[in-house]
Amino acid sequence: MDIITVKNLKKYYNIGEHNEVKAIDDVSFEVEKGEFLAIVGPSGSGKSTLLHMLGCLDTPTKGEVIIDSSKIHELNEDELSNIRFTKLGFIFQTFNLIPGVSAVDNVLMPLMPYGISSAKRIYSHKLLKKFGIGRRANHDPGELSGGEKQRVAVARSLINNPKIILADEPTGQLDSKTGREIIRLMRELNSKNKITFIMVTHDETLLQYVKRVIRLKDGKIISDDKNGKMLDL
């Protein structure tokens, strides 16, 4: 069953009067529920632009994105916000944690506009404990290592029990050992919780740990392959 469908997606930018940049150029693919796939390509290939459109953070020039049966181009801003809040989780390369706010409150940050229940606060502590940093729950991000910060970011992405997590270079700020630990954590969530993961990365060494690899170049898909020899971590 497909949880995401992308049809003839295009994102063009006009730079100057006669210069059109085709960031995404007629891209189509489907993502099955529970997949773990990577989108890879050189700088400027369009992978982050594509991820932003999958995350309802940017609108296409043409084409459509369908998330869990919802046609994104037909939704207003409130409806798009609801999709982001109820179905999607985000993990960023630079962690995007708020300084001066404890780790547990950073996990709860997506709930701030809607109110935080005591049950969600308990859940946030459980997530941090599950990821091995429960004792750091009341620490400021500045007191955390890179790996700890990314574990907080992963916990934050799960606070609303999303169906899909979009990860933009999730290991980009980490050393190789810590990066593998984060991928192991994501793989566990994918396997046990059946969360669909879409990861943008430039790190070719991570591709051996994912089930499917989509390669982009100049805004086009040049290959889309299943990994029949996915390695354990």
Side-chain angles (χ1 to χ4, degrees):
M1 179 180 176
D2 295 336
I3 195 167
I4 294 178
T5 301
V6 176
K7 295 182 178 179
N8 305 115
L9 198 66
K10 300 178 181 181
K11 184 65 177 182
Y12 297 168
Y13 298 98
N14 291 316
I15 301 177
E17 188 175 351
H18 303 292
N19 190 8
E20 184 177 64
V21 175
K22 297 180 178 180
I24 294 294
D25 190 16
D26 199 21
V27 163
S28 298
F29 62 94
E30 297 82 32
V31 180
E32 292 183 5
K33 182 178 179 180
E35 274 201 280
F36 193 135
L37 68 91
I39 299 173
V40 298
S43 178
S45 62
K47 55 187 185 295
S48 290
T49 300
L50 177 57
L51 198 73
H52 289 166
M53 288 190 284
L54 297 179
C56 306
L57 300 172
D58 198 359
T59 55
T61 304
K62 290 183 180 179
E64 63 180 3
V65 176
I66 302 170
I67 297 178
D68 203 22
S69 301
S70 296
K71 295 184 177 182
I72 300 307
H73 66 283
E74 296 179 351
L75 304 182
N76 61 36
E77 188 52 46
D78 286 343
E79 291 167 331
L80 288 173
S81 294
N82 186 60
I83 291 286
R84 289 191 291 265
F85 182 68
T86 60
K87 298 184 185 296
L88 302 175
F90 299 88
I91 303 172
F92 303 97
Q93 176 181 356
T94 54
F95 317 127
N96 283 18
L97 302 182
I98 298 175
V101 176
S102 69
V104 69
D105 283 334
N106 266 285
V107 173
L108 292 164
M109 199 56 63
L111 303 177
M112 290 297 183
Y114 308 94
I116 299 171
S117 67
S118 57
K120 283 295 187 181
R121 185 164 289 277
I122 291 170
Y123 181 50
S124 66
H125 279 280
K126 286 182 177 179
L127 286 172
L128 292 177
K129 184 176 180 180
K130 178 180 180 180
F131 299 158
I133 53 171
R135 58 188 173 79
R136 311 286 276 169
N138 294 316
H139 284 246
D140 183 272
E143 301 172 318
L144 305 178
S145 69
E148 289 171 336
K149 289 177 183 177
Q150 197 61 298
R151 287 172 184 269
V152 173
V154 174
R156 180 184 58 198
S157 76
L158 294 168
I159 194 64
N160 283 327
N161 299 306
K163 295 184 177 183
I164 303 162
I165 289 182
L166 305 174
D168 191 358
E169 300 280 6
T171 65
Q173 298 288 328
L174 307 175
D175 62 75
S176 58
K177 180 178 181 294
T178 307
R180 286 195 300 273
E181 291 173 355
I182 294 299
I183 295 298
R184 183 186 297 113
L185 175 58
M186 292 165 59
R187 279 264 302 266
E188 180 182 342
L189 291 167
N190 170 251
S191 176
K192 293 184 178 180
N193 296 30
K194 307 305 179 186
I195 299 171
T196 303
F197 274 83
I198 301 176
M199 175 180 67
V200 160
T201 184
H202 69 277
D203 187 348
E204 294 280 335
T205 67
L206 299 181
L207 304 186
Q208 59 192 324
Y209 305 121
V210 303
K211 298 176 183 177
R212 177 183 173 193
V213 178
I214 293 177
R215 291 186 180 274
L216 291 181
K217 184 178 181 180
D218 298 329
K220 291 181 177 291
I221 292 177
I222 59 171
S223 65
D224 184 351
D225 299 310
K226 300 282 188 180
N227 183 4
K229 298 180 180 179
M230 185 176 67
L231 298 182
D232 290 329
L233 284 155

